[in-house]
Amino acid sequence: MARFNETNLATAHEIIARYPRPKSALIPLLHLAQEQDGYVTDEAMRQIADLVGVTPAEVIGTGSFYEMFRFEPTGRYLINICGTMSCALLGASDLLHAAERTLGIHAGGTTADGMFTLHQAECQAACTEAPCLQVNYRYRFRMTPDGVEQLIDDLRAGRLDDEIPPHGTLARVRQHIPADRGVGAVDPDAVDGPPAWIPVTVEGAGS
Amino acid sequence: MSETTENVDTVEITVNGRAVMARKGEMVIAATDRAGEHIPRFCYHPRMSPVGMCRQCLVEIDTGRGPMLQPSCMVPVAPGMVVDTESPTTKRAQEGILELLLANHPLDCPVCDKGGECPLQDQAFSHGPGESRYVEEKRHYEKPIDISALVKLDRERCILCDRCTRFADEVAGDALIHFVERGNATQVMTYPDEPFSSHFSGNTVQICPVGALTATPYRFKARPWDLEQADSTCTTCSVGCRTSVHSSRDRVLRFQGVDDDNVNWGWLCDRGRFNFESIHAESRLADPLIRTAEGLVATDWSSAMSITADLVRSALERSGPSSIAILGGARGTNEDAWAWAALADALGVTRRDAQLDDGLPVGVLGFERATIEDAARAATVVLLGPDLKEELPILHLRLRHAAVEGRTRILEFSPTGSGLTKHAWRSVRTPVGAAAATVAATLADAEVAAQLGSGPVVIVAGRHDLASSGDQVMAAVQAVLRAVPTATVLPALRRGNVVGALNAGCRPDGAGNDARSILVDAAEGRIEVLFLLGADPLADVPDADLARRALQGARRVVSLDGHGCASTMVAADVVLPAAVMAEKSGTTTNLEGRVSTVSHKVTVHGTARPDWMVAVELALALGHDLGVGSLEDITGRLASGGAALGAIWAPSIAVGEPVTVESVAPSGYDYRLVVSRVLYDGAVSTSNSASLAPLTAGPGVSMHPLDMERLGVVDGDVVTVTAGRGGVELPVCADDRLDRGVVWVPFGQGGGDPRELISGGAVTDVSIARVS
């Protein structure tokens, strides 16, 4: 599980080929790893380092900068319950307690069946809809403790599968860029003219 | 840094009301440094690219739009720029930054190794507010964690200046440490289970502006104000890095790099930095020893010297000067080598060699010589040498820098690849035994020829492979010179003062006098007295069997040795304890021919004496006056011969005859053996340093994965490697950088010794079988 499976390895090579420098594919590959396993495994980071020609330390250094990459096993559903001002005033702690009670874990933990990871989060920029939470970064507004229980029940029963994909999924349909539409692996240092994305007809481009 | 001012456009700026000529393109902080105006800083380092991490160098800079606070390490000078490093605004800003840096930095200076030489401590005094408004609990982390075997990290003390991580990435090319996490949790860290095992990790300790990084060998050994310092030169390898030797209570406690524009830029490799431990190792010899029926027994110098003189006298009487030979001298100073050469001259002894059949024919010093700076500025560097990262690490850094900057293109010829391969413009896998032919064929390529014609060419030539003859390298050098007659040669010989010793006269005079023929004659009983000057043939001569037979066959062996190496303890009849580096003064010569000083910093161990003194006394005992009575006399003699301090010293040494080496077809054996050195091997200074000895990787043989498949072995399996004479058992590991049919064995790793396979032929072919 830890390294890229065959399909994802092919995707990884396709992603790398989109960039002039392999190193640029580092973050997309971290997403791909998280999509595969729900979190970024140590083995995946080593493999990414090999694929893009950097050291594993550079991979973990880059990845750990970003909150949304996770480096520990994470449930199929990551529930972030906002605990910042507006939500806190409107009962966020009740939501958290309801979730903890229903799931049988504390905030920060993951259920034994690997279905749920529960987190208390900082402001999710939905203060007008407080209290709010996110499941795999999909909002649920004006939640109540009963609503949390219902939500968890629905998730567990698979009734929300169409709406909420497993943690790590960026998009259900992966975008493939045909080779003829890509910029291609042009060495930026070797380009004489204007940047490739500026049509040469633009007056004064590159001057 | 090293440009002369005339060649560089200058820009006039005003610093604190004074006109200052700055170099075009340099940062304000560099201009103010040269103008003598100090701006406090933590992250800025003149040998690394600026990052503006710490903000401590904020000063008011007016570029015509009024004075504004800007980080002086990030703003390039511009004409008419007005800089104020002392204005009230500047002062307030700098105090503010220091207060913020100290918000989390623990005030544990009394127990911190850096206390007393800490830029943060010093600048908190000179530029800080004096008091802090922060009363909150400081950040806490687990106290020091090992980020490598040699370096510990105290994350609480770290101010995130990016010096160590920048060094690892930019300078060393080993980005094994990196910032992880973000914001308040940001910290320097390695990847889990992947330590910062760079050959250059010690430099991060030296450039750390706080006590966050400390070196295990020095931790809690001394306070900076107790240390006495003397500038000296590292003689671990022939690069000759400038160092500062720090000692306390008559013990050397550390080496620090000193910035020398021409040589090391302030960096040291870990082996050179930490092998000071060997100076005080238990294996040091304190008294002369004489071999008796009971083995080696201690005696006094006068007895030992008179016995030695008697041995020499009777050898001269019985068989003449050709029965006396001198091996070694490369571990000493120029003065040591000169004195021994003068003694040999007085006795008529021509059989002397500072190399142990593990270098190149001495004619390599006769080519037009290049300097390190020449190589780092050349359009093309042709690497015919060893893996510089393993053998001459700081030369590796200089060439890596030149290649990364895009100034220099590296054309590498190597049977195995090297640390510079990924920075090479072309890296040609050279079949062992056909180097010259491959070089000639490659140079005939139009694109390569165009590159070589585009500017100066420097050839770096050394012995990569101890299992094939040095003539192969000479032939390859000559092949390059035939194509590019203007090319200059940087001889990448390895031992500390090997060039100095060869220059001073410890060199074979004509054919038949080099180390190999001396050893062969000794093995056949034609050598009456064999002098070993800090030489250990049993450990260093590639042909182990020849070395053993030579030391048995020589009638008497006199060893002048610091540490009691294998040859001394096994074979010497008379052992004279020698002073080692830091215990004697003098000069040393690096691979360029550059002469620099070594400093006498601590008292010699026991009754040990410097080599030159032994030579002068022995000469007197034999009725010859060398005409020198002190070190200064010899230094004066050398100076009159051109060995001035800081200058390049290159006596004319005849270039060898053009070497033609027939390419050797593979024999009935299956694989061609390549044996080369790695940084940490069984060398005396490494194996006698407690911190470095455990870093040897251990024995092994590397081969192409497909060859392993054919043999039916996997990583870690033990195989028998057999040559004509014998076999050794080694664990195997895969390395796809090797050509098929080539196997690589590191030298001096203990266990199965590849030297048992080498018999001094042009190449060494081996067969490999699985141990079932």
Side-chain angles (χ1 to χ4, degrees):
Chain A
M1 271 295 272
R3 289 169 71 89
F4 285 126
N5 60 34
E6 217 164 288
T7 321
N8 282 336
L9 186 59
T11 309
H13 283 295
E14 187 193 321
I15 292 172
I16 292 167
R18 282 182 206 163
Y19 296 94
R21 294 190 175 125
K23 195 176 171 182
S24 309
L26 177 49
I27 288 176
L29 293 193
L30 284 167
H31 279 299
L32 188 64
Q34 178 150 293
E35 184 164 338
Q36 176 179 301
D37 297 323
Y39 72 107
V40 184
T41 64
D42 284 2
E43 272 305 298
M45 284 190 279
R46 282 184 196 281
Q47 194 182 10
I48 292 170
D50 280 346
L51 285 170
V52 304
V54 299
T55 63
E58 289 175 283
V59 176
I60 198 172
T62 306
S64 64
F65 182 83
Y66 297 96
E67 287 279 310
M68 286 164 72
F69 287 127
R70 296 186 44 79
F71 299 91
E72 303 91 48
T74 301
R76 184 177 168 89
Y77 298 108
L78 171 65
I79 302 177
N80 283 324
I81 298 180
C82 177
T84 315
M85 189 62 75
S86 301
C87 295
L89 291 172
L90 288 166
S93 60
D94 294 341
L95 300 187
L96 191 66
H97 291 151
E100 285 181 340
R101 203 172 47 241
T102 313
L103 294 172
I105 52 173
H106 285 294
T110 299
T111 54
D113 60 0
M115 280 291 278
F116 296 96
T117 297
L118 182 64
H119 271 271
Q120 181 164 30
E122 297 302 329
C123 183
Q124 298 175 333
C127 305
T128 54
E129 313 295 335
C132 73
L133 59 79
Q134 288 181 327
V135 181
N136 292 352
Y137 305 104
R138 271 84 176 164
Y139 281 112
R140 283 291 183 276
F141 297 133
R142 300 176 200 234
M143 287 301 282
T144 60
D146 287 347
V148 170
E149 279 176 32
Q150 182 63 45
L151 173 69
I152 289 169
D153 202 36
D154 288 348
L155 288 168
R156 195 168 262 148
R159 287 191 286 272
L160 294 172
D161 277 2
D162 288 345
E163 187 190 345
I164 302 176
H167 176 251
T169 310
L170 283 182
R172 283 168 200 273
V173 182
R174 179 168 293 283
Q175 188 186 18
H176 289 274
I177 301 176
D180 60 335
R181 286 190 55 209
V183 173
V186 180
D187 180 358
D189 294 333
V191 177
D192 287 332
W197 59 89
I198 299 179
V200 284
T201 50
V202 174
E203 203 177 332
S207 61
Chain B
M1 293 296 290
S2 51
E3 302 100 322
T4 47
T5 19
E6 311 90 77
N7 299 334
V8 179
D9 290 345
T10 51
V11 173
E12 188 174 321
I13 64 171
T14 308
V15 178
N16 298 346
R18 191 156 63 86
V20 166
M21 296 308 286
R23 292 174 189 158
K24 196 173 172 182
E26 76 179 343
M27 298 297 161
V28 170
I29 196 168
T32 53
D33 272 0
R34 268 186 298 104
E37 301 286 348
H38 182 76
I39 297 175
R41 86 287 304 266
F42 296 107
C43 70
Y44 172 74
H45 190 283
R47 295 294 186 189
M48 298 193 289
S49 61
V51 285
M53 281 296 278
C54 74
R55 317 311 283 180
Q56 187 60 49
C57 69
L58 287 174
V59 292
E60 277 197 293
I61 299 178
D62 184 352
T63 49
R65 295 186 295 168
M68 277 181 290
L69 281 173
Q70 297 188 65
S72 55
C73 74
M74 292 295 283
V75 179
V77 292
M81 183 180 262
V82 179
V83 180
D84 193 337
T85 70
E86 289 165 347
S87 74
T89 313
T90 301
K91 198 166 156 29
R92 257 194 76 208
Q94 292 178 349
E95 287 180 356
I97 297 291
L98 255 168
E99 194 178 351
L100 284 167
L101 287 175
L102 291 174
N104 266 315
H105 186 88
L107 300 184
D108 62 350
C109 307
V111 296
C112 175
D113 256 340
K114 202 78 173 185
E117 57 174 7
C118 172
L120 180 58
Q121 192 182 40
D122 294 347
Q123 293 179 131
F125 274 107
S126 60
H127 294 82
E131 278 187 37
S132 175
R133 287 166 287 183
Y134 294 103
V135 293
E136 292 80 4
E137 179 80 9
K138 298 192 182 207
R139 207 164 43 196
H140 289 295
Y141 284 116
E142 187 188 335
K143 284 307 270 181
I145 51 173
D146 291 306
I147 58 169
S148 79
L150 296 169
V151 181
K152 287 180 190 291
L153 168 64
D154 251 313
R155 288 167 292 175
E156 300 178 329
R157 294 179 184 151
C158 177
I159 58 167
L160 306 176
C161 71
D162 199 19
R163 271 190 179 188
C164 57
T165 42
R166 226 177 333 152
F167 172 85
D169 182 23
E170 264 181 30
V171 180
D174 301 318
L176 300 170
I177 47 174
H178 204 280
F179 285 137
V180 301
E181 303 288 339
R182 69 193 289 181
N184 192 42
T186 310
Q187 51 188 282
V188 172
M189 193 48 66
T190 60
Y191 194 72
D193 305 327
E194 190 163 308
F196 181 39
S197 53
S198 168
H199 288 356
F200 307 98
S201 64
N203 292 298
T204 61
V205 175
Q206 187 175 343
I207 62 178
C208 180
V210 294
L213 293 170
T214 44
T216 318
Y218 173 73
R219 270 173 78 82
F220 306 133
K221 289 280 165 63
R223 307 312 316 240
W225 52 87
D226 288 333
L227 292 173
E228 294 171 33
Q229 310 184 1
D231 277 8
S232 188
T233 305
C234 177
T235 56
T236 305
C237 76
S238 64
V239 173
C241 300
R242 287 296 284 171
T243 60
S244 179
V245 180
H246 295 192
S247 68
S248 174
R249 287 175 293 167
D250 214 24
R251 281 180 81 85
V252 176
L253 292 177
R254 67 174 175 184
F255 292 155
Q256 296 279 66
V258 171
D259 197 328
D260 183 307
D261 273 347
N262 293 308
V263 186
N264 61 319
W265 286 11
W267 313 128
L268 296 179
C269 68
D270 284 358
R271 181 174 164 204
R273 182 181 296 274
F274 297 122
N275 69 10
F276 68 87
E277 292 176 327
S278 65
I279 297 167
H280 306 292
E282 282 186 7
S283 56
R284 283 299 303 281
L285 299 171
D287 293 299
L289 307 171
I290 300 284
R291 191 168 299 276
T292 65
E294 286 85 50
L296 288 170
V297 293
T299 182
D300 53 78
W301 271 93
S302 55
S303 320
M305 289 299 280
S306 75
I307 291 171
T308 307
D310 286 345
L311 292 177
V312 173
R313 216 174 282 123
S314 68
L316 287 171
E317 278 164 17
R318 280 165 29 144
S319 317
S322 68
S323 68
I324 298 176
I326 302 173
L327 281 178
R331 282 190 197 137
T333 59
N334 291 333
E335 286 76 4
D336 292 337
W338 181 91
W340 277 91
L343 169 64
D345 285 344
L347 300 176
V349 172
T350 55
R351 321 203 70 179
R352 27 178 147 142
D353 197 343
Q355 305 188 77
L356 296 177
D357 197 31
D358 56 354
L360 292 180
V362 69
V364 75
L365 297 182
F367 298 118
E368 189 75 26
R369 190 88 60 87
T371 63
I372 294 173
E373 198 67 18
D374 289 342
R377 287 169 179 279
T380 316
V381 170
V382 181
L383 280 186
L384 296 172
D387 186 343
L388 298 178
K389 190 171 184 177
E390 304 292 337
E391 298 202 13
L392 306 169
I394 300 301
L395 180 59
H396 165 85
L397 286 193
R398 293 293 311 273
L399 292 184
R400 181 186 177 277
H401 181 260
V404 170
E405 293 276 292
R407 273 200 310 274
T408 301
R409 281 180 164 173
I410 293 174
L411 172 56
E412 178 185 63
F413 294 94
S414 168
T416 58
S418 74
L420 278 171
T421 299
K422 67 177 169 185
H423 304 290
W425 173 65
R426 293 270 198 287
S427 179
V428 182
R429 285 290 162 281
T430 321
V432 181
T438 310
V439 167
T442 308
L443 266 47
D445 177 78
E447 209 180 332
V448 174
Q451 171 61 29
L452 292 174
S454 69
V457 176
V458 171
I459 304 166
V460 177
R463 180 87 170 265
H464 177 65
D465 178 16
L466 297 167
S468 64
S469 79
D471 286 342
Q472 311 267 352
V473 181
M474 289 297 276
V477 173
Q478 287 165 350
V480 180
L481 285 170
R482 269 195 297 278
V484 192
T486 56
T488 50
V489 177
L490 185 60
L493 303 177
R494 190 180 129 275
R495 284 199 183 79
N497 192 27
V498 62
V499 173
L502 294 169
N503 276 352
C506 286
R507 62 173 179 265
D509 182 15
N513 285 327
D514 65 351
R516 185 164 183 87
S517 56
I518 292 172
L519 291 167
V520 168
D521 276 3
E524 291 169 5
R526 288 194 291 273
I527 297 292
E528 293 278 332
V529 179
L530 176 63
F531 283 99
L532 300 177
L533 307 182
D536 188 359
L538 287 182
D540 283 345
V541 170
D543 184 344
D545 182 58
L546 175 63
R548 270 193 302 269
R549 286 187 291 119
L551 290 186
Q552 274 164 13
R555 197 154 167 274
R556 297 291 182 196
V557 177
V558 179
S559 178
L560 189 53
D561 188 12
H563 279 95
C565 65
S567 305
T568 301
M569 301 322 274
V570 170
D573 299 290
V574 182
V575 181
L576 305 171
V580 300
M581 289 301 172
E583 292 179 345
K584 58 184 175 184
S585 307
T587 60
T588 182
T589 306
N590 78 349
L591 49 82
E592 310 165 277
R594 187 181 305 281
V595 180
S596 56
T597 53
V598 295
S599 293
H600 182 169
K601 194 70 214 69
V602 291
T603 314
V604 289
H605 182 75
T607 64
R609 295 180 186 183
D611 299 17
W612 70 265
M613 202 181 276
V614 179
V616 170
E617 281 185 27
L618 189 56
L620 284 175
L622 291 164
H624 297 281
D625 185 357
L626 299 182
V628 290
S630 70
L631 184 78
E632 289 69 29
D633 289 349
I634 306 181
T635 312
R637 290 284 189 94
L638 286 167
S640 65
L645 279 182
I648 306 290
W649 177 39
S652 67
I653 291 175
V655 179
E657 292 290 304
V659 183
T660 45
V661 183
E662 295 292 318
S663 46
V664 188
S667 65
Y669 290 97
D670 296 320
Y671 299 93
R672 190 147 283 180
L673 177 68
V674 176
V675 176
S676 48
R677 294 179 184 275
V678 291
L679 189 67
Y680 302 116
D681 60 11
V684 164
S685 62
T686 306
S687 58
N688 285 294
S689 294
S691 303
L692 299 181
L695 298 179
T696 48
V701 54
S702 304
M703 61 196 303
H704 194 278
L706 292 175
D707 283 339
M708 284 174 59
E709 217 174 289
R710 201 177 66 162
L711 280 175
V713 293
V714 295
D715 269 6
D717 283 358
V718 174
V719 294
T720 319
V721 184
T722 320
R725 195 169 60 207
V728 293
E729 290 194 354
L730 292 166
V732 69
C733 71
D735 186 347
D736 57 10
R737 295 172 308 166
L738 295 171
D739 276 346
R740 290 199 64 180
V742 174
V743 294
W744 179 78
V745 179
F747 183 87
Q749 299 296 304
D753 190 343
R755 294 160 60 249
E756 301 297 341
L757 307 168
I758 300 170
S759 51
V763 297
T764 305
D765 286 331
V766 295
S767 62
I768 297 183
R770 190 158 69 131
V771 177
S772 48

